[in-house]
């Protein structure tokens, strides 16, 4: 019989876990310093892959085989495939909706209805209502968010502040919607009921959103409304000259929102919206298409080529106004390829950390010294934020800390609702603030504003985790449960330590 040697795996030390993190932070900082806003277009990907290599070497040193590490990478990337398909569909949707006049019509009427003084607050509120209705921050940003970015351009408003308002509203609505994936995922991981989870979240979510609306209102009133009036009229005139503007152009948006409300999965819903936009372009924007038809491809073939191109490579307008060209020339699946590249690299790095046990060692560090409800909840939120940074995916930032902390909450007499709320306060909310996170990369790809530029204006996303930690330390709305009875043997006798009664502070 042959002797089979099984290599013993070593438990990674804290130093093992911190080395790849230190390398990543150093490389990402250098990337931003050298390449500024262009850091997400290649430099960050190299930083993530190099850091992944460092983590893999540490895993090999601790007894993991390359086959095991590679299997973890493949599994990690597979978790992002759903998001990648949605990204491709969103790219096609933006391209066809630009060509069909759907987005230009939204911009036109938005310029007519929105007052510059209330624009940022209204943007936040509109995105919140749409996201709450459909349960998707991504779809909201790619549809209404894109249109509102166009409205901001027409009014001469700040792109960064508008992006912050779009993201604040979209994530508030997504967080409290029972249709949202993350809102269903958090209670499933923690072991709580969906609507109890939503009701419990309102204590931190609603005050944070109200504060955000107040801040956006203050910023809006501090702007110069008179300067924007001429910009609005000029942009509306240009849009009306270039496109057939009518309420019927909004039909693709209505169909997409209806499909989302009826709980159709995001990928087919967005794909249908993109195809409907292509049909609308042929029916209602023949002049726009004709201006783009190549001289060598006239007739039906030329029209087909333009519409087809809008789906995979977006649209490029060549009007007399360069600002309008810059605003509307975008979209296509190809516009999302860099974002997909970033997501694959980020997921690979996170997968190596998880599969080699390095991430677990980092989380164990956070649990040290956590005795009170405040310290436990604050550590959970910080762990979710850290996981968002390290693994670059909001789903992992919910699932992993949820699994690791679930038993600890029960041992310390904290109801699992505290855990499910903390997973959302720290995981869901902070994901779009990180450039290499799937959500941050997506928002940059759709809104065309770098996360470092809109970061300071995502008031809701910044306030919510801070408020949740303050609640925890003050004991506000902290739900407690009986601590499991502990039997201790004292000599020949067994002593049962009683558990406290559940109470809501």
């Amino acid at each position: 019989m042959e002797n089979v040697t099984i290599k013993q795996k070593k438990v990674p030390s804290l130093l093992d876990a911190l080395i790849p993190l230190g390398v990543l932070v150093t490389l990402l900082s250098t990337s931003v310093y050298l390449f500024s806003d262009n850091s997400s277009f290649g430099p960050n990907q190299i930083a993530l892959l190099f850091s992944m290599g460092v983590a893999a070497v540490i895993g090999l040193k601790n007894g993991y085989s390359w086959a095991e590490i590679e299997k973890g990478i493949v599994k990690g990337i597979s978790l992002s495939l759903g998001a990648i398909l949605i990204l491709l569909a969103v790219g096609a949707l933006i391209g066809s909706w630009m060509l069909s006049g759907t987005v230009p019509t939204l911009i036109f009427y938005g310029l007519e209805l929105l007052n510059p003084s209330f624009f940022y607050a209204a943007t936040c509120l509109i995105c919140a209502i749409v996201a709450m209705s459909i349960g998707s921050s991504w779809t909201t940003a790619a549809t209404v968010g894109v249109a509102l970015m166009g409205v901001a351009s027409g009014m001469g408003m700040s792109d960064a502040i508008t992006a912050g308002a779009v993201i604040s509203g979209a994530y508030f609505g997504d967080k409290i919607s029972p249709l949202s994936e993350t809102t269903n995922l958090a209670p499933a991981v923690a072991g709580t009921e969906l609507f109890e989870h939503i009701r419990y979240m309102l204590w931190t979510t609603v005050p944070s959103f109200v504060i955000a609306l107040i801040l956006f209102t203050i910023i809006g009133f501090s702007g110069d409304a008179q300067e924007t009036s001429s910009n609005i009229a000029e942009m509306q005139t240009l849009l009306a000259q270039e496109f057939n503007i009518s309420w019927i152009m909004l039909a693709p948006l209505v169909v997409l929102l209806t499909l989302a409300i009826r709980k159709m999965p995001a990928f087919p819903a967005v794909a249908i919206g993109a195809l409907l936009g292509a049909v609308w372009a042929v029916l209602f924007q023949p002049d726009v298409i004709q201006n783009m038809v190549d001289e060598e491809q006239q007739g039906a073939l030329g029209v087909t080529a333009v519409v087809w191109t809008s789906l995979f490579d977006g649209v490029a307008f060549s009007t007399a106004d360069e600002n309008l060209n810059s605003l509307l020339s975008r979209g296509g699946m190809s516009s999302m390829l860099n974002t997909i590249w970033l997501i694959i690299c980020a997921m690979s790095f996170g997968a190596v950390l998880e599969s080699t046990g390095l991430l677990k060692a980092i989380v164990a560090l956070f649990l040290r010294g956590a005795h009170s409800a405040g310290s436990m909840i604050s550590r959970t939120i910080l762990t979710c934020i850290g996981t968002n940074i390290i693994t670059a995916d909001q789903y992992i930032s919910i699932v992993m800390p949820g699994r690791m902390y679930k038993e600890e909450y029960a041992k310390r007499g904290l109801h699992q609702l505290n855990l499910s709320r903390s997973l959302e306060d720290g995981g869901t909310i902070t994901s779009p603030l990180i450039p290499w996170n799937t959500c941050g990369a997506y928002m940059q790809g759709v809104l065309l504003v770098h996360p470092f530029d809109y970061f300071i204006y995502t008031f809701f996303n910044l306030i919510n985790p801070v408020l949740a930690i303050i609640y925890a330390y003050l004991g506000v709305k902290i739900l407690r449960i009986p601590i499991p009875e502990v039997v201790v043997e004292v000599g020949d006798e067994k002593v049962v330590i009683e558990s406290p009664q559940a109470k809501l502070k």
Side-chain angles (χ1 to χ4, degrees), residues 282-303:
V282 174
L283 293 177
F284 298 105
Q285 307 295 345
D287 293 338
V288 176
I289 295 176
Q290 199 59 44
N291 290 335
M292 297 182 179
V293 172
D294 193 291
E295 293 181 0
E296 298 178 0
Q297 290 183 326
Q298 294 295 322
L301 284 177
V303 171

Side-chain angles (χ1 to χ4, degrees), residues 181-478:
E181 292 179 352
T182 54
T183 306
N184 281 272
L185 179 62
V189 171
T192 58
E193 195 271 329
L194 172 62
F195 289 101
E196 283 187 352
H197 166 68
I198 292 174
R199 285 194 296 270
Y200 198 57
M201 277 200 303
L202 294 178
W203 290 103
T204 57
T205 304
V206 172
S208 302
F209 186 66
V210 171
I211 296 171
L213 285 178
I214 292 171
L215 292 174
F216 284 125
T217 302
I218 292 172
I219 292 177
F221 272 105
S222 66
D224 188 352
Q226 291 183 348
E227 183 182 344
T228 63
S229 59
S230 60
N231 294 334
I232 293 172
E234 182 181 352
M235 180 62 74
Q236 284 185 309
T237 301
L238 290 169
L239 288 170
Q241 289 174 350
E242 188 69 22
F243 295 94
N244 176 17
I245 301 294
S246 169
W247 287 104
I248 198 172
M249 301 306 152
L250 302 181
L253 173 62
V254 173
V255 170
L256 176 59
L257 295 181
T258 302
L259 293 175
I261 291 172
R262 294 177 69 86
K263 298 184 180 181
M264 176 178 281
F267 174 63
V270 174
I272 290 171
L275 294 175
L276 186 57
V279 172
W280 245 236
V282 174
L283 293 177
F284 298 105
Q285 307 295 345
D287 293 338
V288 176
I289 295 176
Q290 199 59 44
N291 290 335
M292 297 182 179
V293 172
D294 193 291
E295 293 181 0
E296 298 178 0
Q297 290 183 326
Q298 294 295 322
L301 284 177
V303 171
T304 302
V306 170
V307 175
W308 199 329
T309 301
S310 73
L311 294 172
F312 74 83
D313 205 28
V315 290
F317 289 89
S318 56
T319 67
D321 187 89
E322 287 302 321
N323 290 329
L324 185 65
N325 295 338
S326 176
L327 173 64
L328 301 178
S329 298
R330 53 180 306 192
M333 292 184 179
S334 62
S335 67
M336 295 296 172
L337 294 180
N338 183 75
T339 302
I340 291 170
W341 178 21
L342 181 60
I343 289 172
I344 290 174
C345 293
M347 294 297 288
S348 299
F349 172 68
V352 173
L353 288 183
E354 183 177 12
S355 62
T356 56
L358 296 174
L359 188 61
K360 194 170 184 179
I362 297 168
V363 172
L365 175 65
F366 276 86
L367 274 175
R368 291 181 186 174
H371 302 298
S372 66
S375 61
M376 191 68 205
I377 290 172
S378 62
R379 278 167 169 74
T380 303
I381 292 173
L382 291 173
T383 302
C384 292
I385 295 172
T387 308
N388 254 327
I389 294 172
I390 296 167
T391 66
D393 184 76
Q394 69 170 343
Y395 296 110
I396 296 178
S397 74
I398 291 173
V399 173
M400 193 172 299
R403 288 199 308 239
M404 292 181 174
Y405 287 154
K406 188 175 181 180
E407 288 186 10
E408 288 295 326
Y409 272 71
K411 289 178 182 177
R412 298 162 192 257
L414 292 171
H415 196 285
Q416 300 300 335
L417 280 169
N418 299 293
L419 174 59
S420 63
R421 184 174 75 181
S422 299
L423 294 176
E424 292 246 60
D425 289 339
T428 304
I429 296 297
T430 60
S431 56
L433 309 182
I434 302 158
W436 55 89
N437 189 281
T438 52
C439 295
Y442 176 87
M443 291 300 165
Q444 181 181 359
V446 169
L447 303 178
L448 302 182
V449 181
H450 196 278
F452 287 160
D453 293 328
Y454 65 62
F455 179 92
I456 195 173
Y457 301 111
T458 52
F459 297 132
F460 171 72
N461 305 67
L462 295 173
I463 293 169
N464 196 170
V466 175
L467 190 63
I469 291 174
I470 292 172
Y471 272 29
Y473 278 107
L474 294 179
V476 178
K477 298 301 176 185
I478 302 302

Side-chain angles (χ1 to χ4, degrees), residues 43-110:
N44 285 352
Q45 286 88 327
I46 298 300
L48 286 161
L49 289 177
F50 189 87
S51 302
M52 180 198 76
V54 172
V57 170
I58 293 173
L60 293 171
K61 184 262 295 184
N62 288 337
Y64 289 86
S65 67
W66 172 249
E68 291 173 309
I69 295 173
E70 187 177 45
K71 183 178 179 182
I73 294 172
V74 172
K75 181 181 177 182
I77 293 174
S78 69
L79 294 174
S80 67
L81 290 180
I84 288 172
L85 289 175
I86 294 171
L87 276 169
L88 292 172
V90 165
L93 178 138
I94 292 173
S96 69
W97 281 22
M98 288 294 182
L99 187 64
S100 68
T102 300
V103 171
T105 298
L106 279 167
I107 295 172
F108 182 91
Y109 289 124

